[in-house]
Amino acid sequence: MLDANLKDQLKAYMENLREPIELVPSLDDSAKSKELKELLEEIEALSDKISLREDGAADVRRPSFAINRVGSDIGVRFAGIPMGHEFTSLVLALLQVGGHPSKASQEVIEQVQSLDGDYVFETYFSLSCQNCPDVVQALNLMSVLNPKIKHTSIDGALFQDEVEQREVMAVPSVYLNGESFGQGRMNLEEIAAKLDTNSDAREAEKLNQKDPFEVLVIGGGPAGASAAIYAARKGISTGVAAERFGGQVGDTMGIENLISVPYTEGPKLVAAMEQHVKEYDVDIMNLQRAEKLIPAASKGGMHEVRLANGASLKSRTLVLSTGARWRQLGVPGEDEYRNKGVAYCPHCDGPLFKGKRVAVIGGGNSGVEAAIDLAGIVGHVTLIEFGAEMRADDVLQKKLRSLPNVEILLSAQTTEITGENGKVSGLSYTDRESGESHHVSLEGVFVQIGLVPNTEWLKGDIELSQHGEIIVNDRGETSIPGVFAAGDATTVPYKQIVISMGEGSKAALSAFDFLIRNSVPDEEGAAA
């Protein structure tokens, strides 16, 4: 299964094993079981600290296997063959069960170790999902750090009967002790915080004690990361408060237009951005959602940002880079059937609809690319475009029209998503030319109609456009002196990663220029 080059790389990694581990498979006569056995035999041969034990207790899911630390109750389990995006999860599981330390912060490690109670987690993933590895790796690590935590990762495409029985229609889907725990991307800090009910109060107390910053960046996407780096390089105190470091980029599959990088993927770029920011003296405050901006009373004074957990951060300047999120249709049934057939990530959730009928809403590049990808997995794709023609690049349109299992509906306005037994059963639309209403029977709806800026929390405090974007000038300045903005949340056109990076850098340089031109006012507001 593994080529010679990959085996050599893995062998080098396995030299970091500190404790002996054993691989315990549960197999049947299927081709996938034979494939898994071959993989495990190849892994066993990589190190004398790895053994393969085929007489272990059988698991109800086959093929599956456990990675156990010999002589302990520490281990993780994979149901399926963790290749694709999950291959890194497999490598990390081998290393961490084998005693190799993780790169998680000591604070989070101690938080996980102190969790009391019995936690049995199950995570459904797909091999093409770029969001799933974060969840799988986080829960695997938690099960290594705390023996009271158990985790099984399940390939939804391989165990479709189980997926349908539990009505799993989005990945990653996490169950705790048999009950739904969460869906979508979650990292180690988020999961630990969700289990540790007192974490918000402790975090708020800690944040309230921080000294004011000279530059505080709100948002950790490409714009925010670039702003933090450029500010820190000026030698001024810099902080980043982000709801999720990396932002929307973490949900992006292939990136082919980042100059000098022919191809990368969102999660890889996010990891690289975070590593780059950490090379500087930047205070990264992750999992922090801004809720209120209180502008400084005077030019050069302190701006305040109140967070969802009750804490407040202060800074002489701000760079707002809160990014954007997927735009919703806003039709009946969308909220009701979200993650029950309504999806926004074709790469993540597409494999769960193998052989089924789905619709893609949106005829731009994202929508057409999604339809092309899904056509290779599902039984049939109906692309629905509101306008009289698709807006995607010609090359994408030609590819889409060449596919035999795709139908394109133009001038079609989606009016409702219908469902039965708690999941999507169809979609209603109106022909905008004839006015006639139609219904399409299907089992999945993928919404790809663009982005909406994350600026609701700023309404009434800063000037926004009619589309909710932060209005900025050519220096990244907003309507409030000392407050700058960058990235997809602003009026700057062409929402691209490389543009956000440049705008973030510019905003940080403008903030530095503001600082050196405006002295700190005294308590009465007069210049000191």
Side-chain angles (χ1 to χ4, degrees), residues 39-352:
L39 173 64
L40 297 181
E41 288 173 344
E42 291 177 348
I43 292 174
E44 179 193 22
L46 298 174
S47 170
D48 57 8
K49 281 188 165 63
I50 303 175
S51 59
L52 179 61
R53 182 164 64 90
E54 298 187 50
D55 59 346
D59 189 86
V60 293
R61 299 185 182 97
R62 302 181 184 183
S64 67
F65 68 100
I67 305 173
N68 297 327
R69 183 179 298 175
V70 175
S72 77
D73 55 357
I74 293 173
V76 302
R77 176 171 284 277
F78 288 94
I81 306 174
M83 300 299 286
H85 285 294
E86 292 301 337
F87 187 69
T88 300
S89 302
L90 169 61
V91 176
L92 287 174
L94 291 166
L95 290 171
Q96 290 166 356
V97 174
H100 185 65
S102 79
K103 294 182 179 179
S105 70
Q106 188 60 35
E107 182 180 7
V108 176
I109 288 174
E110 291 174 358
Q111 183 183 21
V112 172
Q113 290 173 331
S114 66
L115 290 172
D116 193 20
D118 294 319
Y119 304 94
V120 178
F121 283 100
E122 298 167 296
T123 300
Y124 292 89
F125 66 86
S126 70
L127 297 178
S128 59
C129 170
Q130 72 269 26
N131 291 328
C132 296
D134 280 357
V135 179
V136 170
Q137 292 165 24
L139 288 168
N140 280 348
L141 176 57
M142 291 177 70
S143 67
V144 171
L145 295 173
N146 187 334
K148 293 183 178 180
I149 300 173
K150 304 299 180 184
H151 182 224
T152 300
S153 305
I154 306 157
D155 182 356
L158 195 57
F159 294 91
Q160 283 207 320
D161 289 345
E162 185 174 334
V163 162
E164 292 181 5
Q165 181 182 0
R166 273 185 157 172
E167 297 185 347
V168 176
M169 302 187 75
V171 290
S173 283
V174 181
Y175 286 77
L176 171 58
N177 298 334
E179 301 293 331
S180 178
F181 177 78
Q183 292 176 317
R185 178 191 289 270
M186 293 179 282
N187 60 28
L188 177 64
E189 295 169 289
E190 289 173 292
I191 297 171
K194 193 170 181 178
L195 295 174
D196 183 359
T197 56
N198 295 320
S199 61
D200 269 359
R202 291 198 306 270
E203 184 67 14
E205 182 179 359
K206 185 171 63 175
L207 292 174
N208 281 329
Q209 294 174 356
K210 290 184 180 292
D211 293 332
F213 297 95
E214 290 177 288
V215 175
L216 175 61
V217 182
I218 307 298
S226 299
I229 290 169
Y230 268 73
R233 284 175 62 86
K234 293 296 185 181
I236 55 181
S237 62
T238 305
V240 176
E243 188 170 359
R244 179 179 58 140
F245 195 93
Q248 190 80 6
V249 173
D251 301 326
T252 304
M253 185 63 174
I255 300 170
E256 299 176 323
N257 54 358
L258 186 61
I259 309 307
S260 83
V261 182
Y263 178 84
T264 187
E265 295 173 352
K268 292 181 180 178
L269 181 57
V270 169
M273 288 194 306
E274 186 169 11
Q275 182 180 357
H276 195 175
V277 172
K278 287 180 176 179
E279 290 182 4
Y280 297 92
D281 188 15
V282 175
D283 188 347
I284 299 178
M285 296 159 281
N286 204 12
L287 308 184
Q288 303 303 325
R289 187 175 79 252
E291 285 198 338
K292 179 67 176 175
L293 167 62
I294 303 175
S298 60
K299 192 174 184 179
M302 289 293 173
H303 303 284
E304 180 180 349
V305 176
R306 292 181 182 172
L307 306 175
N309 61 9
S312 288
L313 298 171
K314 294 182 178 181
S315 181
R316 287 187 62 199
T317 63
L318 298 174
V319 176
L320 306 177
S321 55
T322 48
R325 63 187 182 277
W326 291 115
R327 185 181 298 277
Q328 294 182 225
L329 281 168
V331 301
E334 181 178 18
D335 288 336
E336 182 180 355
Y337 298 111
R338 181 177 289 110
N339 296 325
K340 294 298 181 182
V342 175
Y344 300 85
C345 180
H347 301 295
C348 302
D349 301 331
L352 299 177

Side-chain angles (χ1 to χ4, degrees), residues 1-11 38-39 42 46 83 87:
M1 278 192 71
L2 305 176
D3 61 38
N5 184 48
L6 191 53
K7 285 181 182 179
D8 288 341
Q9 293 180 39
L10 280 175
K11 188 172 184 178
E38 179 184 350
L39 173 64
E42 291 177 348
L46 298 174
M83 300 299 286
F87 187 69

